[in-house]
């Protein structure tokens, strides 16, 4: 059983109602529905000259965390597709060697500290005796050199303690930003060395779009510095923060790379996706626009119901352009600015059928 479209059922019911009351409507009278159609004039608007190119989305923060010390992977807290908050521990390396290194460095520091205190005391004592000219200057010089050597050993011990602490800290890998794990490079119990990749991740909070612009367009695009980004299937542009132009062309493709930074937290967008990028390339042009709700699609025909001065609608085929920001759509051909169009195509079709029925009577 073939199901009729809802608008056709409405038209049919309205025609039946009109036929039942046709005796009370004079042949020369226009039905009141035609006179009460909600209409809006086709507007003449200005639109900049745009060039649309394909772009792909990439993450601003995309990195691979690598080991900075040697050891065995002891813990792996996250895997691919897991979300990691900033500051969370993502992996641990066995730290017995590093802990031993910290203890050894601390012991050396304590010894150097004691030697320095002793050297200070010796130098003070010898300085007092030398002031009384009771010992030769050579002993004074030796005491001074001993103090400097003790101070140098103390500084070296402090540096070794800091280095040992850093090595111990490297056994705990912490996420530098919040994001999603894209790849895990190691397994539990695997031995790693400095430079061994551990995990890769991206952040979805900050995204950007990269476009390869042909050299024939780069001059006007650099001049205007204005772009819109459209997701697939959406007419609402995404918020753009700024544009970055690379100052050189790819010698293989003769294209310039343009990077478009999006607003933080852009939803439903992921790295690797393709988007449409519209660049303003020239002065504004005058076009005609109508409300999107006034457009009617009948099979392969796209049109609007144009209402004349007597309030009678007539379906007119048009050629559409792109969607605009104010829930309207541009008309490339078939309509002039100022002509009234019906905002409700279904009601206009009913009115047209009623008018045809009355005229036939």
């Amino acid at each position: 059983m073939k199901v009729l479209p809802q608008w056709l059922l409405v038209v049919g019911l309205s025609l039946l109602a009109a036929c039942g009351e046709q005796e009370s409507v004079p042949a020369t009278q226009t039905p009141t529905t035609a006179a009460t159609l909600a209409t809006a004039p086709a507007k003449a608007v200005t639109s900049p000259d745009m060039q649309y190119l394909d772009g792909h989305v990439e993450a601003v923060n995309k990195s691979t965390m690598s080991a900075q010390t040697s050891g065995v992977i002891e813990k792996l807290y996250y895997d691919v597709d897991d979300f990691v908050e900033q500051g969370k521990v993502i992996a641990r390396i066995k730290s017995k060697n590093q802990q031993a290194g910290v203890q050894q460095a601390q012991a050396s520091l304590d010894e150097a500290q004691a030697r320095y205190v002793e050297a200070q005391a010796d130098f003070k004592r010898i300085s007092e005796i030398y002031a009384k000219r009771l010992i030769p200057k050579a002993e004074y010089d030796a005491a001074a050199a001993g103090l400097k050597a003790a101070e140098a050993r103390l500084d070296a011990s402090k540096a070794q303690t800091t280095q040992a602490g850093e090595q111990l800290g490297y056994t705990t890998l912490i996420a530098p930003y919040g994001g999603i794990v894209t790849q895990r490079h190691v397994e539990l119990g695997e031995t790693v060395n400095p430079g061994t990749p551990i995990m890769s991740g991206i952040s979805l909070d900050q995204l950007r779009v990269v476009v390869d612009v042909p050299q024939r367009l780069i001059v006007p695009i650099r001049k205007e510095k204005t772009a819109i980004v459209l997701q697939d299937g959406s007419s609402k542009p995404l918020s753009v923060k700024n544009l970055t132009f690379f100052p050189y062309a790819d010698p293989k493709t003769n294209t310039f790379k343009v990077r478009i930074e999006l607003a933080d937290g852009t939803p439903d967008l992921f790295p690797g996706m393709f988007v449409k990028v519209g660049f303003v390339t020239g002065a504004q042009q005058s076009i005609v626009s109508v409300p999107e709700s006034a457009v009617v699609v009948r099979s392969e025909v796209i049109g609007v119901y144009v209402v004349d001065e007597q309030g009678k609608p007539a379906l007119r085929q048009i050629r559409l352009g792109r969607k605009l920001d104010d829930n309207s759509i541009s008309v490339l051909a078939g309509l002039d600015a100022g002509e009234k169009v019906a905002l409700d195509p279904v009601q206009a079709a009913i009115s047209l059928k009623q008018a045809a029925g009355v005229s036939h009577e």
Side-chain angles (χ1 to χ4, degrees):
M1 180 179 180
K2 188 174 182 181
V3 180
L4 294 176
Q6 185 177 1
W7 68 270
L8 192 55
L9 292 176
V10 174
V11 172
L13 292 175
S14 301
L15 289 175
L16 290 176
C19 291
E21 300 176 0
Q22 62 181 354
E23 294 181 357
S24 61
V25 179
T28 59
Q29 182 178 347
T30 301
T32 57
T33 54
T36 58
L37 283 175
T39 63
K43 297 187 299 182
V45 297
T46 55
S47 178
D49 186 16
M50 304 285 291
Q51 288 286 341
Y52 288 88
L53 301 171
D54 290 327
H56 68 273
V57 181
E58 67 178 23
V60 175
N61 291 322
K62 178 177 65 173
S63 59
T64 297
M65 293 196 67
S66 301
Q68 293 180 274
T69 187
S70 300
V72 177
I73 297 296
E74 185 178 37
K75 293 285 186 180
L76 289 170
Y77 295 98
Y78 297 94
D79 205 344
V80 175
D81 201 38
D82 289 341
F83 177 78
V84 183
E85 295 181 4
Q86 183 179 9
K88 292 292 185 178
V89 178
I90 64 173
R92 289 188 187 276
I93 300 173
K94 284 187 178 180
S95 59
K96 288 185 178 181
N97 292 336
Q98 288 78 6
Q99 289 176 356
V102 170
Q103 293 174 358
Q104 183 178 0
Q106 185 62 47
S108 298
L109 177 61
D110 293 341
E111 180 184 3
Q113 183 71 39
R115 296 293 184 185
Y116 178 69
V117 172
E118 181 183 9
Q120 277 186 318
D122 288 344
F123 179 73
K124 181 179 179 181
R125 178 175 54 83
I126 292 177
S127 296
E128 292 175 352
I129 297 174
Y130 177 73
K132 297 177 182 179
R133 304 299 179 181
L134 298 177
I135 58 174
K137 188 175 184 300
E139 291 188 22
Y140 173 82
D141 293 340
L147 178 60
K148 290 184 178 180
E151 185 177 5
R153 285 193 296 269
L154 179 60
D155 291 340
S157 296
K158 289 180 179 178
Q160 290 175 358
T161 303
T162 301
Q163 184 179 14
E166 288 287 331
Q167 289 296 318
L168 180 60
Y170 291 153
T171 61
T172 301
L173 281 77
I174 299 176
Y177 52 82
I180 296 176
V181 178
T182 57
Q183 190 172 0
R184 194 186 72 186
H185 302 277
V186 296
E187 299 294 337
L188 194 65
E190 186 173 342
T191 301
V192 296
N193 295 307
T196 302
I198 304 297
M199 283 190 187
S200 298
I202 58 174
S203 172
L204 300 181
D205 293 334
Q206 292 181 300
L207 300 175
R208 61 192 178 198
V209 177
V210 178
V211 187
D212 292 326
V213 177
Q215 65 178 31
R216 62 182 175 83
L217 297 176
I218 192 62
V219 172
I221 287 177
R222 287 180 68 96
K223 179 181 178 181
E224 298 293 337
K225 295 182 180 180
T226 304
I228 60 172
V229 178
L230 300 173
Q231 284 182 264
D232 188 22
S234 175
S235 60
K236 185 178 180 180
L238 302 176
S239 180
V240 174
K241 293 175 65 174
N242 59 64
L243 279 70
T244 301
F245 296 89
F246 284 57
Y248 56 88
D250 186 333
K252 295 181 180 179
T253 61
N254 294 327
T255 58
F256 288 80
K257 183 176 291 186
V258 178
R259 198 165 60 196
I260 304 168
E261 188 174 350
L262 302 177
D264 295 347
T266 302
D268 303 324
L269 208 60
F270 299 91
M273 293 177 62
F274 277 91
V275 292
K276 282 290 184 183
V277 179
F279 290 102
V280 177
T281 57
Q284 293 185 338
Q285 299 175 343
S286 180
I287 60 174
V288 176
S289 71
V290 295
E292 193 172 355
S293 61
V295 178
V296 60
V297 179
R298 298 289 182 263
S299 185
E300 297 181 358
V301 176
I302 300 176
V304 291
Y305 282 95
V306 179
V307 181
D308 62 15
E309 295 181 356
Q310 287 73 37
K312 295 180 180 180
L315 181 61
R316 183 185 299 176
Q317 186 175 357
I318 60 175
R319 184 159 63 93
L320 295 180
R322 64 182 181 89
K323 295 181 180 180
L324 305 177
D325 296 340
D326 57 349
N327 294 324
S328 63
I329 191 165
S330 62
V331 179
L332 301 180
L335 193 66
D336 294 328
E339 292 188 285
K340 293 182 179 180
V341 296
L343 296 177
D344 188 347
V346 174
Q347 186 61 38
I350 295 174
S351 177
L352 187 61
K353 293 292 185 181
Q354 289 177 338
V358 171
S359 177
H360 179 73
E361 290 296 327

